[in-house]
């Protein structure tokens, strides 16, 4: 017995490690094959052309009609089947056997209400709108993956769903896509976002919570307007709002464990027009963020209490609105450990071990979190920084620009993750 047990453990260990080595070997061959195809000059020119077309005609959330048409035209010419409309302008394409397992890849489609200040040949043609968050590249990378996968469809051991999702920039497009049944039966999902702080050729992510859960609020404090010389005859909402906003800061500094990450930010305040008038009303609003859903509910509850009670202290009244219909709160973005490990392994074989980085947790939000709540999900970022090209400007900057060399890397990354996921999990279905 004493000999038998270690022997059994040892043989299990040997079996597993050689199996893993074999799997990694196949995965790296596959990743390299896909990368070589994507870097082919004809493929590269096509994927750049797609990205530039989307870039020139940016559309805001749930208005992505032209972008959606372009996606469908490209899918038609590749001979790829798709469902449309899903969540108004969204498109969900399918490649493979039509059977389980189903693995999804996601690209968001919408632009931002921002004037592009980069002067280049394919600058935005629409005044006041710009792809300053790289969703044009996400669409091009996913269409690139469609082309790579369609050429290998006979080899797919299941089905890849390519999800072109509308309205990521505050419209909760992911929520609406799920509600429309766009991802029914999907076993796991992967999403990729460009990252101008990382050099082209690198990828990054982290297991567990990666991005914050976020919510928005707006508040109106109503007092009683009057002459500035007689404050005792009015009820000053400016003083009430000032102390309320200062009190809101104590929720994080005095009520939150200092080792836990939470944010409350008031981003605007409006009230009053003249130096000698006490106004009737002051309005303000902001966002709150946490890395746990409990944290998010706590902040929401306390924001309401603090505003209402502080207003009452100053003999004013308050209305707090969390805009859950229009500006739906986003859950915490959590990377599933198993999907994360899979993507990391495939990613390293694609870009090389030293070009994978552990990404820090940031308190930004992303509606991909609606997927991560419903199914195992992983989100990675892909570097687009090249100082020569000045593609190191932050996301949402009017100077945002990408290094298009990242497009073939992203396309093959998507395709390699999906194909190898189906290879690894097909036996379980
Ligand atoms: C940056 O872009 C320039 C121009 O396309 C290119 O020559 C150079 O090799 C790139 N640098 C890196 C580090 O990729």
């Amino acid at each position: 017995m004493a000999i038998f047990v270690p022997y059994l453990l040892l043989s299990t260990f040997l079996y597993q490690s050689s199996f893993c080595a074999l799997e990694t070997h196949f995965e790296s061959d596959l990743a390299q094959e896909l990368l070589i195809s994507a870097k082919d000059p004809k493929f590269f020119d096509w994927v750049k052309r797609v990205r530039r077309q989307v870039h020139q005609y940016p559309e805001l959330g749930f208005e992505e009609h032209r972008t959606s048409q372009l996606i469908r035209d490209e899918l038609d010419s590749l001979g790829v089947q798709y469902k449309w409309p899903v969540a108004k302008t969204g498109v969900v394409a399918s490649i493979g056997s039509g059977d389980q397992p189903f693995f999804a890849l996601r690209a968001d489609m919408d632009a931002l209400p921002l004037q592009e200040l980069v002067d280049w040949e394919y600058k935005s043609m629409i005044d006041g709108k710009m792809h300053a968050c790289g969703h044009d590249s996400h669409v091009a990378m996913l269409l690139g993956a469609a082309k790579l996968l369609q050429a290998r469809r006979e080899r797919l051991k299941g089905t890849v769903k390519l999800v072109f999702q509308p309205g990521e920039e505050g419209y909760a497009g992911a929520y609406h896509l799920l509600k429309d049944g766009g991802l029914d039966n999907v076993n796991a999902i992967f999403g990729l976002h460009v990252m101008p702080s990382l050099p082209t050729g690198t990828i990054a992510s982290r297991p567990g919570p990666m991005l914050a859960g976020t919510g928005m609020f707006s508040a109106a404090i109503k007092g009683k307007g009057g002459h500035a010389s007689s404050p005792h005859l009015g009820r000053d909402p400016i003083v009430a709002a000032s102390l309320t906003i200062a009190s809101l800061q104590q929720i994080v500094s005095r009520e939150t464990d200092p080792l836990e990450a939470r944010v409350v930010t008031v981003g605007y305040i409006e009230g009053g027009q003249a130096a000698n008038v006490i106004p009737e009303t002051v309005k303000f609003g902001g966002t709150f963020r946490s890395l746990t859903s409990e944290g998010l509910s706590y902040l929401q509850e306390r924001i309401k209490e603090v505003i209402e009670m502080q207003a009452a202290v100053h003999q004013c009244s308050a209305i707090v609105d969390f805009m859950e219909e229009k500006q739906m709160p986003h859950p915490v973005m959590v990377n599933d450990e198993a999907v994360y490990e899979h993507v990391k392994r495939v990613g390293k074989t694609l870009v090389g071990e030293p070009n994978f980085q552990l990404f820090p947790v940031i308190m930004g939000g992303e509606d991909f979190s609606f997927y991560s709540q419903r199914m195992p999900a992983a989100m990675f970022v892909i570097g687009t920084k090249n100082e020569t090209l000045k593609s190191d400007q932050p996301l949402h900057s009017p100077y945002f620009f990408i290094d298009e060399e990242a497009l073939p890397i992203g396309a093959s990354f998507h395709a390699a993750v999906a194909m190898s996921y189906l290879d690894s999990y097909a036996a379980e279905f």
Side-chain angles (χ1 to χ4, degrees):
M1 201 67 181
I3 297 166
F4 181 70
V5 173
Y7 171 74
L8 189 69
L9 286 175
L10 184 67
S11 68
T12 309
F13 172 74
L14 283 175
Y15 170 72
Q16 283 184 343
S17 65
S18 63
F19 174 73
C20 277
L22 196 65
E23 192 168 67
T24 309
H25 179 64
F26 283 148
E27 279 173 356
S28 87
D29 284 354
L30 174 66
Q32 287 309 313
E33 175 203 324
L34 290 162
L35 185 60
I36 290 166
S37 294
K39 285 192 166 171
D40 174 80
K42 256 180 73 187
F43 185 101
F44 187 26
D45 286 347
W46 167 75
V47 81
K48 266 193 291 201
R49 195 167 63 242
V50 169
R51 183 256 157 170
R52 290 169 180 184
Q53 282 170 0
V54 179
H55 188 86
Q56 280 189 300
Y57 294 95
E59 297 168 302
L60 303 183
F62 291 116
E63 294 172 2
E64 308 94 334
H65 299 290
R66 188 186 171 117
T67 308
S68 178
Q69 182 69 56
L70 180 147
I71 291 164
R72 283 175 278 129
D73 289 347
E74 291 295 341
L75 292 172
D76 283 337
S77 60
L78 293 171
V80 172
Q81 307 265 314
Y82 54 82
K83 205 174 138 196
W84 168 81
V86 186
K88 200 165 177 187
T89 52
V91 182
V92 179
S94 296
I95 304 178
S97 67
D99 284 328
Q100 286 191 315
F102 289 93
F103 187 79
L105 302 169
R106 176 272 209 159
D108 37 15
M109 300 154 67
D110 57 328
L112 287 159
L114 187 76
Q115 180 63 42
E116 177 161 9
L117 296 179
V118 189
D119 250 324
W120 69 302
E121 205 182 338
Y122 300 96
K123 184 178 176 163
S124 168
M125 304 282 277
I126 313 291
D127 273 352
K129 293 181 192 171
M130 177 190 180
H131 270 289
C133 197
H135 299 185
D136 52 342
S137 331
H138 301 167
V139 167
M141 287 173 186
L142 195 55
L143 281 169
K147 193 173 181 130
L148 295 169
L149 292 167
Q150 179 68 350
R152 293 163 181 80
R153 60 188 179 280
E154 306 298 340
R155 282 161 59 188
L156 298 181
K157 298 202 179 84
T159 310
V160 184
K161 294 272 184 188
L162 299 102
V163 181
F164 297 91
Q165 178 216 298
E168 189 280 324
E169 298 289 356
Y171 301 85
Y175 169 86
H176 293 284
L177 200 125
L178 284 167
K179 205 169 138 212
D180 256 19
L183 288 182
D184 287 357
N185 305 323
V186 168
N187 303 105
I189 188 165
F190 170 61
L192 197 52
H193 203 297
V194 294
M195 194 46 64
S197 57
L198 300 176
T200 306
T202 60
I203 56 168
S205 186
R206 68 179 302 111
M210 178 175 173
L211 296 162
T214 65
M216 304 243 191
F217 67 95
S218 70
I221 294 190
K222 195 172 174 308
K224 184 163 175 266
H227 199 287
S229 65
S230 325
H232 59 293
L233 300 179
R235 297 285 177 247
D236 189 347
I238 290 199
V239 174
S242 306
L243 286 151
T244 303
I245 291 168
S247 297
L248 286 173
Q249 301 312 309
Q250 320 299 335
I251 302 174
V252 173
S253 79
R254 300 290 84 189
E255 299 176 24
T256 300
D257 181 339
L259 297 177
E260 227 180 279
R262 290 184 190 169
V263 180
V264 176
T265 292
V266 173
Y268 71 86
I269 173 163
E270 294 165 11
Q273 271 154 343
N276 58 356
V277 176
I278 293 172
E280 275 287 301
T281 307
V282 172
K283 293 181 176 169
F284 59 90
T287 78
F288 54 102
R289 292 148 195 272
S290 169
L291 292 176
T292 63
S293 53
E294 301 75 40
L296 217 52
S297 342
Y298 181 84
L299 290 177
Q300 176 160 345
E301 202 177 296
R302 287 292 292 149
I303 285 168
K304 185 171 160 61
E305 272 173 16
V306 167
I307 296 173
E308 288 174 353
M309 288 180 172
Q310 278 292 338
V313 165
H314 298 90
Q315 298 176 297
C316 295
S317 62
I319 295 170
V320 186
D321 183 0
F322 290 98
M323 300 173 287
E324 289 176 5
E325 295 291 304
K326 263 177 63 194
Q327 302 267 352
M328 188 176 291
H330 287 21
V332 185
M333 171 57 223
V334 182
N335 277 333
D336 174 79
E337 304 265 346
V339 183
Y340 166 80
E341 285 301 331
H342 169 80
V343 177
K344 183 173 83 170
R345 200 176 62 233
V346 174
K348 280 181 175 177
T349 69
L350 187 85
V351 297
E353 182 99 26
N355 292 319
F356 168 80
Q357 296 180 20
L358 196 64
F359 197 67
V361 180
I362 50 178
M363 298 303 279
E366 155 70 57
D367 75 353
F368 196 77
S369 60
F370 286 102
Y371 303 132
S372 84
Q373 249 195 346
R374 273 274 291 272
M375 64 191 76
M379 179 154 208
F380 273 59
V381 296
I382 177 166
T384 51
K385 177 167 82 175
N386 177 328
E387 273 140 19
T388 318
L389 298 171
K390 297 200 171 67
S391 64
D392 55 354
Q393 300 298 307
L395 296 171
H396 293 213
S397 156
Y399 295 101
F400 180 73
F401 195 66
I402 70 146
D403 179 0
E404 291 176 323
E405 298 286 334
L407 297 175
I409 305 172
S412 49
F413 190 18
H414 267 305
V417 164
M419 280 185 83
S420 56
Y421 183 91
L422 297 183
D423 284 343
S424 306
Y425 288 87
E428 290 182 19
F429 289 90

